[in-house]
Amino acid sequence: MKSLFLIIAYLVAVTLPLILSWLTGGPPRPFLEELASGLGILAFSMVLLEFILSGRFKSISNGVGMDVTMRFHQVLARTALGFALIHPFLYQGTPSGGQRPWDPTRQLTITTDFSALSTGIAAYLLLPSLVLLAIGRTQLDYKYETWRLIHGIGALLIALLLLHHTVYAGRYGSQPVMTWVWLAMTGGAVGSLLYVYLLVPLRDKARAWQVTSVTQLTSKQWEVTLKPDGHSGLDYKAGQFVWLNLGHSSFSMKENPFSICSAPAAGPEISFMIKELGDFTRTLGQIKAGTAAYLDGPYGNLSVDGRTEPGVALIAGGVGLAPLLGILRQMRLTGDPRSVRLVYGNRVVDQIAYRDELGAQDVFYVLSDPPENWCGEKGFVDAALMDRIFSVKEFNEWVFVMCGPTIMMDIVEDHLIERGTPSHRILSERFNYD
């Protein structure tokens, strides 16, 4: 129900400028020119709403899930890009110059005022660059924090350029009512940035944390544990994640999303299972006890709290174990009566973390490169493995919670759907998004 409400709210918000433009506009023009204006209006409103779909607003991401929120963000960004790229090529009207409004009869479509056109041209060049950088960010050799800063500044610049272009070069945007609409929507987008990068850090500064321990789990995986510094801690559900800032100002851009691997029932301390990936995670072993930390969260709906399914299947790949470990710990600590089964995939045996704690009962270890004496599952977490571990009844009745590499999750999710698992019983969280 909440997903449907959010979709309707989005459609209303993105089409409102188009509807108001139609109500306040002048006489109709040729179809292609009206289509050009319509695509431009939709592209601009979609760009502005992308600020809200950034994943940093709990009312959205916690309601429908981070995977859905970010995939929606990606698809709509590319749709807006398509509309924007087509938009200028559909105009066929005769250019006109002179003082604005350049066309009192509302029959012409294009101004020759270069200052009005230049901002549109600049946005036209920046928008595809921003989308392509987002799609290829994992292949580019720069830090996550650098990409995030570029993405934020680029999006803000595009919004401001489009605002100027729409108001000063648009047939409909120059109408007083529409000018105020675009100013309000752009203000909302800019306000969302101020909330994320100013108000949230101010709040976090008053709720600092301290590092209590940093423990090496495997050659490339660490556990970082924090305790609240003068406050009661974080109200979260097992399986959720936060944006973690270690050793920097609360206003620093050096924060990253990490899943919580501890259980709420264990007390106020919070733990994270973090893998070295070549960025700041290379320095985890150098972090000392007492180091200040800040958390923004919790986010995500990768939680089985309140669900009524008779069993919980946890499907993890590598460091994707983190949120599922939190769920497993919470179920064990609270004496949850539901059946639970963990499938945990890695490449080699030395990558298995928390093996002593996990134990062997209802835990299936999977290695793609096992040693000769390996007695567990061999290969990958795939359809054949799922069929060996789960029955037809369990596919239909259990809730399946997944976190790990995209290829693993795509294979498992496709197989679950093929086996008849309802979509609302498949919860997933991916490592990254293009």
Side-chain angles (χ1 to χ4, degrees), residues 21-52:
S21 296
W22 175 68
L23 292 175
T24 60
R29 299 169 297 176
F31 171 75
L32 286 181
E33 297 182 5
E34 293 290 5
L35 179 60
S37 291
L39 291 176
I41 290 169
L42 284 174
F44 187 21
S45 59
M46 292 170 76
V47 166
L48 294 178
L49 288 175
E50 286 293 277
F51 287 80
I52 309 300

Side-chain angles (χ1 to χ4, degrees), residues 49-354:
L49 288 175
E50 286 293 277
F51 287 80
I52 309 300
L53 296 174
S54 64
R56 297 301 289 266
F57 293 90
K58 298 176 188 177
S59 59
I60 298 176
S61 60
N62 289 5
V64 300
M66 184 58 69
D67 270 15
V68 174
T69 302
M70 295 311 299
R71 184 55 63 186
F72 201 55
H73 177 83
Q74 296 163 348
V75 170
L76 294 176
R78 296 170 195 184
T79 303
L81 174 61
F83 288 169
L85 293 178
I86 296 171
H87 155 74
F89 292 102
L90 298 178
Y91 283 117
Q92 298 176 334
T94 304
S96 65
Q99 187 176 1
R100 290 285 295 158
W102 75 88
D103 179 23
T105 64
R106 297 298 182 197
Q107 298 300 308
L108 303 176
T109 61
I110 305 175
T111 177
T112 54
D113 183 351
F114 182 73
S115 65
L117 292 175
S118 62
T119 49
I121 295 170
Y124 189 88
L125 297 174
L126 281 175
L127 184 57
S129 301
L130 194 71
V131 172
L132 290 173
L133 283 173
I135 293 174
R137 73 176 179 87
T138 55
Q139 286 75 42
L140 298 174
D141 189 20
Y142 56 83
K143 294 181 179 180
Y144 171 78
E145 296 87 350
T146 303
W147 170 82
R148 189 173 162 221
L149 180 62
I150 293 173
H151 196 71
I153 293 176
L156 177 60
L157 182 57
I158 288 170
L160 296 177
L161 290 170
L162 287 177
L163 174 64
H164 180 272
H165 177 71
T166 301
V167 171
Y168 288 94
R171 180 197 196 203
Y172 297 105
S174 62
Q175 296 284 352
V177 171
M178 292 311 304
T179 297
W180 282 109
V181 168
W182 288 121
L183 283 171
M185 291 185 67
T186 306
V190 174
S192 71
L193 289 181
L194 293 177
Y195 170 79
V196 171
Y197 296 109
L198 180 61
L199 296 183
V200 169
L202 279 173
R203 179 199 65 196
D204 294 344
K205 187 175 179 62
R207 294 178 60 84
W209 295 70
Q210 282 188 1
V211 174
T212 58
S213 65
V214 178
T215 306
Q216 189 165 14
L217 302 171
T218 68
S219 62
K220 293 290 185 179
Q221 296 179 110
W222 300 77
E223 181 184 77
V224 178
T225 301
L226 312 177
K227 67 176 181 180
D229 186 6
H231 56 91
S232 60
L234 185 70
D235 183 15
Y236 70 99
K237 296 178 180 179
Q240 290 189 298
F241 74 93
V242 301
W243 289 78
L244 174 63
N245 176 337
L246 282 174
H248 302 283
S249 162
S250 63
F251 295 92
S252 172
M253 294 287 289
K254 295 181 178 180
E255 58 175 0
N256 292 268
F258 292 111
S259 294
I260 303 170
C261 70
S262 53
E269 288 195 339
I270 288 184
S271 296
F272 303 91
M273 176 184 176
I274 303 176
K275 181 180 180 180
E276 291 185 26
L277 293 174
D279 50 11
F280 95 96
T281 55
R282 293 176 301 178
T283 65
L284 286 173
Q286 303 171 21
I287 295 174
K288 305 297 182 184
T291 299
Y294 300 95
L295 306 181
D296 176 25
Y299 292 96
N301 70 340
L302 203 70
S303 169
V304 299
D305 289 4
R307 300 189 68 100
T308 59
E309 291 88 354
V312 178
L314 306 173
I315 317 297
V319 75
L321 174 68
L324 309 190
L325 178 60
I327 293 173
L328 183 61
R329 284 172 164 173
Q330 180 72 0
M331 294 181 71
R332 289 177 173 178
L333 284 172
T334 59
D336 195 307
R338 289 173 291 183
S339 299
V340 61
R341 206 168 295 159
L342 170 65
V343 180
Y344 180 23
N346 285 286
R347 186 177 65 84
V348 296
V349 69
D350 290 342
Q351 293 176 339
I352 299 175
Y354 300 103

